[in-house]
């Protein structure tokens, strides 16, 4: 039995390794599939200056960054560099990819993790509440409200918040992650300042995600509450809160946990638009920009980071999933 | 049971409210700097990351180069009227434009205290010739550079009239710092931003897109008028201006009424040096080789209405002489093309493209529809739709193909298009760019195709004129030639400039009123003289 | 329990769908039908062209232009009526493709297990970890932006969520005693699927699909908002994109019709879909419906 378990774990580990390899290869290929050249600038955004490079200059740069080599050679070089932990040097930003990522990552993490936390907590609470009061006034009020909030595209919601709360009521700053050039104000002030700036983006992401979590929790809870053992518990006279806490939540957790971890990948996508609305200096903005300018090493670096994060999140989801419902682990082994 | 439910519910509500209420204190530290002492003048402009402001590491797109120019001086500077001597006190052009001699100013110091010598200048040219600087156009065109006494001599591989501009704008970098640097694009230590310009870089954040420049107290030239320039990112510049977070913004025409009434604001129209053009690929589409068809296209397109609809009036309709009316070498007496669909139809009939039996579309002699594919990026789709509408009225079918910007650029360079809309700045620059607009890369083998995309027009007379102006160093003679080229271009229609944007810039003169436009550029905040006293070499020319 | 399940389908069959819906569900269905009607009858309903300018630019709503005009002078009501076609098409096609595909994959991989499951899970992992927005940008650049590309790309990225959730449900179901019992009694795979799995899975799949439709419509709007949609399609997202890229839109009155109407249309359809989804979910899962 134990032997089998370790062997299975090893197999799963190799599965993840294989996925990682495929993804790394795709990361290499995808940006290069895009038509266009990182050094070719013919047009600018409205009113924006561009530097024109001559053919000589472009060739010189392509050589400097090894882009004149055939694809297999570039691929091998990038794989070896990756094994050494070297993500390369950004063509557009003129800095090590890893440094840029490290500088940006905390900001995105701040937004995404806060949003995941708040949305999960609020969504689950409201969802369970709605499920236990199903069909009552509270549920009837919450349900359409949450659906409506969940369905408003994040960027539009963000713009709305920006306009009403930041521009109209002037409650929040318009953009950025902190006040610049304000002098040294001490740790506490900086903290408040950062929270103040992060509030609207986090609120936007939270509101958008809460709807989905709410629906999921409500759905799961309803299903669980309709089960025999819950009815038995009810018949025994246990209170709703107790039933919720003891019996239902644990069983409803499986899809919720799966969803929380699955949603991490999507959040970065959603964050792209929201970070742009609030001019927030996270990975989303970086990603949009580097795709726009075809900065291959940078795109690869971001893809890899996001991929790695999601892969490990999935792995975690898998493990938790097994702990919550231990029968699953056994069943896969029993299967021929 | 119900009370318990209520209790639970209120508890949850409280939790939600508590979670949602992150700290909401307002920051108070904002204005602390302005209270102390004789209030140093701080100007705040719209930021955003445009790269580390060294001559090699700033980004190829966007205004990073102008930030870099605050730190690094060049031999020539530009004011409202033209080039002015800057680090070079004087210059002469010899051997029919092959040799340039610059007399270098004395008593100039680098920001690290070391003196600037003609050696540094010579080094800068050699370095820019070897390594492609982002905003330098002398890469691999210099034969020899030498410093002799206080003069620097530059010998070119071949004479090129616009090299005065190119040499003049090349940034002078300190030899003692850069001589060891082999990969300048990746050299981003603090040393990389030591120049001899009027401002010092004191803060830069890549991820936030902030820059702060402080006046250089030991600047050799006119005194900097602003103590510090801060670039801060904003998402809605207009709100930021109203909040006093920015001191200068661009205003769109529909917002003008909101601000014109207030005398505290000064609104300036920018010179129209940023434009869109319609490229006609004569190599791919045989039809376009007929000048009547090209002229018909111009007549059919309502360029003034493009300005009205797309830019809400903030623009200048394209001139078929290519150079925008605000250009110092633009001539007025060229063939005019008013919006005239009837004239377009007549020309198309003459070209043998008839619409038979009440059909809307014209047919080629071979019986096929007259149909063209119009390439544009997402931003120009509206414009493309208008063009399609107008051309449909004269019987030409247009299929719009919209792709992302880089893809469009790539296809334009590979000349894989029939018609293409492309927008870029630099229309106010040295008229030498006419070469790339009019004949593409037909003219010389190594003319940068990245600057063109025009498939080229084979017209010996026009080609001759272009070759002549290319080596003509006498300013007056060159002006004549450029005028002649514009007249010729308007006759031949090698491409169709659609319009040049002329936005408006607003600022509060009470706070600072030194802003000027360079003769060849459209933005007040990009000219170095905007930040300096107008004395010495920067004195106002009457 | 068995008895209850036996009686339920009979009631379902005997009542027309309309009477099973709640008030909000009825309203939602009406709105959706209305939108579909508008989409189908667009040429009859609009006096003006949805492509060619028919009035002054940025005119406020009036009798001639009930929803005003955009900056080119094109009638907005016509654009919204024709835009309904795009949005509904994108929503329906994507939901169908991704929902059916995802459910099938989820059932097969959950029930079969083994190699099929492993391969599917790896494929899902790969798709899930690829950041979708940049990949969509790349694909749009590669294939050229068109409605078909958008549907296919959206479907390719959205089937995974359904598949994974359904798989996890199937895994749980498989452990149920009555199913194990049925297996022991020699029930065939098809029988098990029809009798036990599908009824349990259908609510998830239905809710999933309704959500997918809503999300596909929103995603199309998002792509168009970024300027990556089909520029010739005139979808609602594209109208908003044009409105939002109009500089200073928020400081003028133009947004009151240019932005609000497509936004309203989009929100109405998407919310209606969600509300209808709720009712269908009730109908599909008898136990939820009754409790």
């Amino acid at each position: 039995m134990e032997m089998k378990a370790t062997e299975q774990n090893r197999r799963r580990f190799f599965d993840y390794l294989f996925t990682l390899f495929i993804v790394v290869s795709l990361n290499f290929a995808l940006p290069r599939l895009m038509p266009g050249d990182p050094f070719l600038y013919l047009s600018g955004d409205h009113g924006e200056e561009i530097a024109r490079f001559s053919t000589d200059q472009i060739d010189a740069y392509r050589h400097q960054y090894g882009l004149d080599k055939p694809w297999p050679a570039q691929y091998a070089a990038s794989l070896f560099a990756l094994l050494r932990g070297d993500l390369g040097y950004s063509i557009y930003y003129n800095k090590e990819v890893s440094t840029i990522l490290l500088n940006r990552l905390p900001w995105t993490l701040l937004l995404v993790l806060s949003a995941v936390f708040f949305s999960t907590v609020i969504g689950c609470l409201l969802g369970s509440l709605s499920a236990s009061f199903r069909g009552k006034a509270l549920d009837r009020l919450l349900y359409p409200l949450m659906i409506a909030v969940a369905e408003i595209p994040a960027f539009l919601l963000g713009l709305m918040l920006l306009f009403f709360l930041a521009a109209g009521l002037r409650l929040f700053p318009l953009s950025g992650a902190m006040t610049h050039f304000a002098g040294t104000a001490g740790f506490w002030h900086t903290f408040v300042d950062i929270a103040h700036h992060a509030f609207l983006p986090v609120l936007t992401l939270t509101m958008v995600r809460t709807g989905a979590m709410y629906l999921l929790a409500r759905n799961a809870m309803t299903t669980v509450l309709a089960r025999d053992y819950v009815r038995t518990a009810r018949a025994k006279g246990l209170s709703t809160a107790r039933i919720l806490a003891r019996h239902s939540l644990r069983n409803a957790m499986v899809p919720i946990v799966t969803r929380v971890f699955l949603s991490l990948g999507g959040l970065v996508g959603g964050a792209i638009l929201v970070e742009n609305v609030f001019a927030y200096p996270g990975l989303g903005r970086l990603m949009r920009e580097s795709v726009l300018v075809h900065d291959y090493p940078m795109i690869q670096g971001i893809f890899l980071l996001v991929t790695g994060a999601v892969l490990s999140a999935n792995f975690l989801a898998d493990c938790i999933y097994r702990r919550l419902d231990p029968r699953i682990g056994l069943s896969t082994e029993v299967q021929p | 049971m119900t009370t318990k439910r209520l209790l639970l519910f209120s508890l949850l509500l409280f939790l939600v409210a508590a979670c949602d209420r992150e700290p909401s204190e307002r920051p108070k530290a904002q204005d602390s700097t302005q209270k102390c002492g004789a209030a140093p003048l701080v100007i705040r402009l719209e930021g955003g990351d445009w790269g580390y402001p060294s001559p090699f590491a700033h980004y190829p797109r966007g205004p990073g180069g102008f930030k870099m120019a605050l730190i690094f001086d060049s031999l020539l500077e530009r004011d409202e009227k033209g080039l002015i001597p800057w680090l070079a006190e004087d210059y002469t052009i010899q051997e029919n434009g092959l040799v340039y001699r610059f007399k270098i100013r004395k008593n100039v110091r680098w920001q690290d205290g070391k003196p600037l010598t003609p050696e540094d200048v010579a080094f800068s040219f050699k370095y820019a010739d070897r390594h492609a600087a982002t905003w330098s156009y002398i890469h691999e065109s210099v034969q020899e550079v030498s410093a002799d006494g206080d003069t620097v001599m530059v010998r070119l591989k071949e004479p090129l009239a616009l090299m005065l501009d190119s040499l003049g704008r090349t940034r002078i970098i300190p030899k003692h710092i850069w001589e060891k640097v082999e990969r300048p694009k990746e050299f981003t230590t603090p040393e990389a931003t030591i120049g001899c310009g009027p401002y010092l870089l004191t803060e830069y954040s890549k991820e936030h897109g902030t820059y702060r420049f402080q006046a250089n107290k030991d600047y050799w030239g006119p005194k900097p008028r602003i103590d510090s320039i801060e670039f801060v990112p904003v998402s809605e510049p207009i709100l930021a201006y109203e909040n006093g977070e920015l001191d200068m913004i661009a205003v769109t025409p529909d917002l003008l009424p909101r601000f014109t009434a207030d005398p505290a604001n000064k609104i300036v129209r920018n010179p129209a040096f940023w434009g869109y053009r319609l490229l006609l690929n004569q190599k791919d589409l045989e039809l376009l080789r007929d000048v009547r068809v090209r002229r018909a296209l111009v007549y059919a397109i309502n360029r003034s209405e493009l300005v009205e609809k797309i830019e809400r009036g903030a623009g200048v309709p394209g001139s078929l002489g290519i150079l925008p009316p605000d250009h110092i070498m633009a001539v007025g007496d060229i063939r005019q093309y008013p919006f005239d669909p009837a004239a377009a139809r007549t020309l198309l009939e003459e070209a043998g493209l008839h619409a038979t039996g009440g059909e809307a579309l014209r047919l080629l002699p071979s019986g096929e529809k007259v149909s063209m594919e119009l390439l544009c990026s997402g931003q120009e789709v509206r414009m493309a739709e208008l063009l399609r509408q107008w051309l449909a009225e004269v019987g030409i079918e247009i299929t719009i193909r919209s792709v992302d910007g880089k893809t469009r650029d790539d296809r334009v360079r590979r000349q894989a298009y029939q018609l293409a809309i492309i927008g870029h700045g630099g229309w106010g620059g040295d008229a030498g760019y006419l070469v790339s607009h009019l004949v593409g890369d037909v003219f010389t083998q190594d003319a940068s195709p990245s600057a063109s995309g025009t498939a080229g027009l084979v017209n010996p007379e026009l080609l001759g004129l272009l070759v002549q102006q290319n080596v003509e160093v006498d300013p007056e003679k060159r002006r004549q030639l450029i005028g002649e080229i514009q007249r010729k271009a308007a006759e031949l229609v090698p491409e169709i400039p659609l319009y040049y944007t002329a936005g408006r810039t607003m600022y509060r003169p009470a706070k600072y009123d030194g802003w000027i436009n360079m003769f060849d550029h459209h933005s007040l905040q990009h000219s170095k003289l905007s930040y300096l006293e107008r004395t010495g070499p920067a004195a106002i020319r009457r | 329990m068995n008895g209850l399940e036996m009686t339920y389908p009979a009631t379902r069959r005997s009542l027309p769908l309309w009477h099973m819906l709640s008030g909000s569900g009825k309203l939602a269905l009406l709105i959706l039908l209305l939108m579909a009607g508008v989409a189908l009858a667009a040429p009859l309903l609009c006096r003006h062209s949805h492509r060619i300018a028919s009035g002054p630019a940025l005119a406020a709503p009036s009798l001639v232009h009930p929803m005003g005009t955009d900056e080119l002078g094109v009638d907005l009501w016509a654009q919204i009526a024709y835009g309904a076609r795009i949005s509904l098409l994108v929503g329906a096609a994507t939901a169908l493709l991704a929902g059916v595909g995802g459910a099938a994959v989820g059932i097969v991989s959950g029930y079969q297990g083994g190699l099929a499951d492993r391969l599917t899970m790896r494929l899902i992992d790969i798709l899930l970890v690829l950041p979708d927005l940049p990949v969509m940008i790349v694909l749009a650049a590669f294939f050229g932006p068109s409605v078909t590309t958008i549907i296919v790309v959206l479907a390719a990225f959205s089937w995974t969520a359904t598949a994974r959730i359904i798989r996890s449900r199937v895994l749980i179901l498989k452990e149920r005693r009555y199913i194990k019992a049925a297996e022991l009694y020699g029930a065939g795979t098809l029988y098990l699927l029809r009798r036990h799995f599908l009824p349990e899975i259908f609510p998830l799949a239905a809710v999933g699909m309704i959500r997918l439709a809503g999300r596909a419509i929103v995603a199309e709007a998002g792509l168009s908002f970024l300027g990556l949609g089909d520029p010739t399609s005139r979808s609602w997202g594209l109208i908003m994109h044009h409105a939002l890229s109009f500089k200073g839109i928020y400081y003028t009155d133009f947004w009151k019709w240019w932005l609000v109407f497509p936004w309203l249309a989009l929100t109405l359809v998407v919310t209606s879909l969600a509300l209808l989804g709720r009712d269908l979910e009730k109908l599909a899962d008898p136990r939820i419906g009754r409790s």
Side-chain angles (χ1 to χ4, degrees), chain C residues 225-277:
Chain C
F225 168 79
L226 284 177
L228 299 168
D230 184 347
T232 47
S233 71
R234 293 282 187 165
S235 73
W236 295 334
L238 202 70
I239 304 175
M240 289 198 291
H241 168 69
H242 288 316
L244 284 169
S245 45
F246 185 83
K247 286 196 204 81
I249 177 85
Y250 301 100
Y251 307 96
T252 57
D253 282 343
F254 309 146
W255 66 271
K256 287 178 189 158
W257 58 92
W258 197 3
L259 193 65
V260 163
F261 287 121
W263 193 88
L264 216 60
L266 199 62
T267 318
L268 268 180
V269 164
V270 170
T271 320
S272 303
L273 272 174
L275 287 175
L276 191 66

Side-chain angles (χ1 to χ4, degrees), chain A residues 200-220:
Chain A
L200 284 186
V202 169
L203 184 66
T204 310
L205 286 172
T206 306
M207 280 174 80
V208 170
R209 297 220 55 75
T210 305
M213 289 316 300
Y214 165 84
L215 287 177
L216 196 73
R218 181 173 175 276
N219 222 25

Side-chain angles (χ1 to χ4, degrees), chain B residues 119-325:
Chain B
E119 270 303 314
D120 285 313
V121 178
F123 169 79
S124 301
F125 283 136
K126 283 181 202 154
Y127 200 82
D129 181 52
R130 200 166 65 234
H131 301 284
T134 308
W135 269 11
S136 159
Y137 302 106
I138 66 170
H139 181 60
E140 299 204 328
S141 48
V142 172
Q143 177 86 46
E144 186 197 345
V145 187
S146 59
D148 179 26
D150 59 354
T151 9
V152 169
M153 187 277 294
V154 183
R155 178 179 292 273
L156 303 178
K157 286 182 179 152
E158 52 197 31
L160 195 60
L162 59 79
M163 272 312 264
L164 179 64
D165 191 285
S166 300
L167 289 171
R169 75 163 70 221
T170 299
R171 299 295 136 181
I172 305 306
I173 51 175
K175 186 181 178 187
H176 62 274
I177 290 173
W178 290 84
E179 61 187 344
K180 292 156 291 194
V181 179
E182 264 316 303
R183 289 164 84 98
K185 218 166 157 293
E186 301 175 7
F187 179 52
T188 50
T189 62
E191 281 186 318
T193 47
I194 291 179
C196 61
Y199 284 89
L200 303 149
L201 179 73
T202 52
E203 212 174 303
Y204 164 61
S205 162
K206 199 182 266 299
E207 62 270 24
H208 295 291
T210 54
Y211 295 81
R212 176 158 57 186
F213 295 94
Q214 295 276 17
N216 177 6
K217 297 271 179 279
D218 307 316
Y219 188 50
W220 62 267
K223 202 172 165 298
R225 284 183 65 190
I226 297 171
D227 296 287
S228 68
I229 312 166
E230 295 176 350
F231 291 90
V232 282
V234 293
S235 59
E236 281 296 330
I238 292 157
L239 288 176
Y241 181 82
E242 286 185 337
N243 289 351
E245 288 166 29
L246 285 185
D247 293 310
M248 172 180 273
I249 53 160
V251 217
T252 55
D254 294 292
L255 297 180
L256 279 177
R258 189 183 169 114
F259 297 105
T260 35
D262 187 351
N265 302 316
K266 187 167 174 182
I267 299 171
V268 182
R269 173 193 172 278
N270 304 336
F273 290 148
W274 201 98
Y276 286 104
R277 54 191 175 124
L278 181 67
L279 304 180
L280 315 172
N281 191 345
Q282 300 176 40
K283 281 183 187 152
D284 192 81
L285 202 60
E286 202 182 332
L287 196 64
L288 292 171
R289 286 181 210 154
D290 189 334
V291 70
R292 288 169 298 193
V293 175
R294 300 200 298 271
R295 282 182 187 166
L297 291 183
V298 193
Y299 278 123
I301 295 171
N302 192 341
R303 305 196 300 290
S304 333
E305 202 168 317
L306 270 184
V307 173
E308 284 311 314
K309 287 202 160 156
I310 308 284
E311 297 296 328
R312 304 287 292 160
V316 178
S319 152
L320 269 291
I322 315 294
L323 297 188

Side-chain angles (χ1 to χ4, degrees), chain B residues 451-470:
Chain B
S452 78
T454 308
L457 177 81
V458 189
N459 178 283
E461 208 183 327
L462 184 63
L463 210 59
L465 286 168
L466 286 166
V467 172
Q468 273 185 53
Q469 70 77 29
N470 212 34

Side-chain angles (χ1 to χ4, degrees), chain B residues 58-114:
Chain B
H58 70 83
Y59 302 155
R61 39 188 281 279
F66 296 106
K67 296 181 175 60
M68 177 274 293
L70 291 171
I71 308 173
F72 291 89
D73 275 350
S74 53
L75 293 187
L76 307 176
E77 196 45 66
R78 36 210 79 219
D79 66 2
E80 299 95 327
K81 293 180 177 167
L83 293 172
I84 51 171
W86 203 247
L87 280 178
E89 281 176 324
D90 200 7
Y91 60 89
T92 47
I93 306 172
Q94 297 163 332
E95 296 179 38
N96 287 325
L98 205 57
V99 170
Y100 290 77
R101 281 179 196 282
F102 295 96
K103 184 165 180 277
I104 308 301
R105 196 174 292 279
K106 290 200 181 69
N107 301 323
V108 178
R109 284 186 181 276
W110 295 109
Q111 290 168 357
D112 64 359
K114 298 212 170 70

Side-chain angles (χ1 to χ4, degrees), chain A residues 34-58 60-61 64-65 89-95 100 103-104 107 114 117-118 121-122 125-126 129 132-133 136 138 142 159 162-163 166-167 169-172 174-183 185 188-189 191-193 195-199 202-203 206 234 238-241 244 276-282 285 288-289 291-294, chain B residues 1 4-6 8-9 12 15-16 19-30 32-33 44 48-52 56-63 66 132-137 139-140 183-188 203 205-208 210-212 230-236 239-240 242-243 245 273-274 276 311 379-380 404-410 412-414 422-426 446-453 499 501 521-522 526:
Chain A
M34 290 190 285
D37 185 301
F39 300 106
L40 177 67
Y41 293 92
L42 282 187
S43 54
D45 282 343
H46 203 285
E48 188 183 82
E49 284 305 301
I50 37 157
R52 286 168 284 117
F53 292 127
S54 69
T55 334
D56 297 339
Q57 271 173 308
I58 291 180
Y61 277 138
Q64 187 182 333
Y65 288 95
Y89 205 90
S90 161
I91 295 173
Y92 180 78
Y93 295 96
N94 299 319
K95 221 174 175 63
I100 300 178
N103 285 337
R104 297 267 192 153
W107 299 107
S114 326
F117 176 75
F118 289 129
V121 170
I122 298 170
L125 288 179
L126 292 183
L129 206 61
S132 55
F133 288 87
K136 305 273 163 54
L138 178 69
L142 269 178
L159 277 171
L162 182 73
F163 268 80
L169 299 175
R170 315 234 159 153
L171 287 176
F172 297 98
L174 290 164
S175 62
M178 55 195 285
T179 309
H180 297 287
F181 310 128
W188 179 241
H189 266 100
F191 176 79
V192 169
D193 186 47
H196 194 210
H197 278 80
F199 188 87
V202 169
L203 184 66
T206 306
R234 251 192 204 156
L238 288 179
S239 73
T240 315
L244 277 179
N276 278 303
V277 168
F278 293 99
Y280 207 81
R285 245 155 81 83
R288 196 199 72 147
E289 275 177 359
V291 167
L292 221 64
V293 297
H294 287 31
Chain B
M1 192 86 166
K4 272 190 179 169
R5 277 188 180 181
L6 269 176
L8 181 73
F9 178 50
L12 288 179
L15 268 175
V16 171
C19 287
D20 236 351
R21 198 184 303 143
E22 265 181 31
S24 56
E25 245 174 82
R26 317 271 302 267
K28 293 156 200 150
Q30 192 81 24
S32 58
T33 42
R44 284 188 163 218
D49 179 30
W50 299 107
Y52 194 57
F56 296 87
H58 70 83
Y59 302 155
R61 39 188 281 279
F66 296 106
T134 308
W135 269 11
S136 159
Y137 302 106
H139 181 60
E140 299 204 328
R183 289 164 84 98
K185 218 166 157 293
E186 301 175 7
F187 179 52
T188 50
E203 212 174 303
S205 162
K206 199 182 266 299
E207 62 270 24
H208 295 291
T210 54
Y211 295 81
R212 176 158 57 186
E230 295 176 350
F231 291 90
V232 282
V234 293
S235 59
E236 281 296 330
L239 288 176
E242 286 185 337
N243 289 351
E245 288 166 29
F273 290 148
W274 201 98
Y276 286 104
E311 297 296 328
Q379 289 154 326
E380 292 111 26
D404 82 292
K406 275 278 181 189
T407 310
R408 190 260 322 271
D409 290 5
D410 184 58
V412 164
R413 186 171 69 148
R414 290 190 288 111
I422 199 159
H424 56 81
D446 56 351
S448 75
S450 54
S452 78
Y499 65 84
T501 60
H521 190 66
H522 62 265
H526 289 169

